[in-house]
Amino acid sequence: MPQKSTGRLARYIPTVQLFSARLVLFHQKMAEKVGLTGTEFKCFRLLEQLGPLSMTALSREVGLKVGTVSGLIDKLEATGFVVRQRDETDKRRLVLVACPEASARASSLYEEHGEAMAALLETYSEAEFNLLLTFLTDIGNVLARTSSAPSEEPLPERTSAL
């Protein structure tokens, strides 16, 4: 069994804590611009990324009770971010779908930020960029397993764009 590198972890923790705090605050500002809380906005963005999900699947994904997510979805639906639709494979079931117009509106919030990020990402080689994508995907998967509610069904698969 490989020995754990506590030195790397010790160097990683303060960097990731600062990054995480800045990322949460950045996304909170974006959410406020469209009249949502950070949690509401992130649930909406998860629906964009993971595709139509049932209320149960979304509540499992975010680690919140179905009742809490239901109230959150009521607001997202009332503000035009999400619609409930019949599942194409099981017409008895409802799924939550991100509205394309709201997705465009949300994405427009990131235009200025996107230009700065594009310039930064161009400074990395293709191999470095692919490593970043792999790292972020792997970290996202660890976080999802840690923060999601336990279930017999696997969470929607997350993959990098490699």
Side-chain angles (χ1 to χ4, degrees):
M1 172 179 257
Q3 187 174 349
K4 293 181 182 176
S5 173
T6 56
R8 284 187 180 184
L9 185 61
R11 289 175 26 219
Y12 168 81
I13 288 174
T15 301
V16 80
Q17 287 176 337
L18 179 60
F19 171 78
S20 175
R22 288 177 173 166
L23 186 63
V24 166
L25 293 170
F26 172 79
H27 285 289
Q28 180 62 41
K29 292 272 185 212
M30 296 298 110
E32 289 171 2
K33 289 182 179 188
V34 293
L36 299 176
T37 67
T39 301
E40 291 163 348
F41 194 58
K42 285 291 128 187
C43 284
F44 166 70
R45 298 302 272 192
L46 281 171
L47 287 170
E48 286 180 306
Q49 294 297 311
L50 301 176
L53 295 176
S54 69
M55 188 79 69
T56 302
L58 181 60
S59 70
R60 221 177 43 245
E61 176 69 33
V62 298
L64 297 172
K65 294 183 181 196
V66 173
T68 302
V69 172
S70 179
L72 193 143
I73 292 302
D74 288 345
K75 181 176 177 185
L76 289 174
E77 189 173 37
T79 54
F81 282 86
V82 170
V83 293
R84 298 170 207 243
Q85 294 180 348
R86 293 275 169 215
D87 186 340
E88 292 181 13
T89 59
D90 181 351
K91 299 293 182 193
R92 299 168 295 169
R93 199 174 129 203
L94 289 176
V95 291
L96 308 167
V97 179
C99 296
E101 301 82 18
S103 292
R105 194 167 106 207
S107 292
S108 72
L109 297 173
Y110 297 93
E111 285 176 6
E112 181 181 326
H113 169 73
E115 292 171 17
M117 288 303 297
L120 175 63
L121 292 173
E122 286 302 318
T123 67
Y124 294 98
S125 71
E126 191 63 23
E128 291 169 327
F129 178 69
N130 287 334
L131 179 62
L132 286 171
L133 291 179
T134 299
F135 175 76
L136 291 171
T137 299
D138 292 348
I139 291 297
N141 288 335
V142 168
L143 293 174
R145 285 192 300 272
T146 304
S147 63
S148 301
S151 169
E152 309 234 339
E153 295 179 38
L155 291 168
E157 186 176 322
R158 295 158 185 79
T159 58
S160 70
L162 294 179

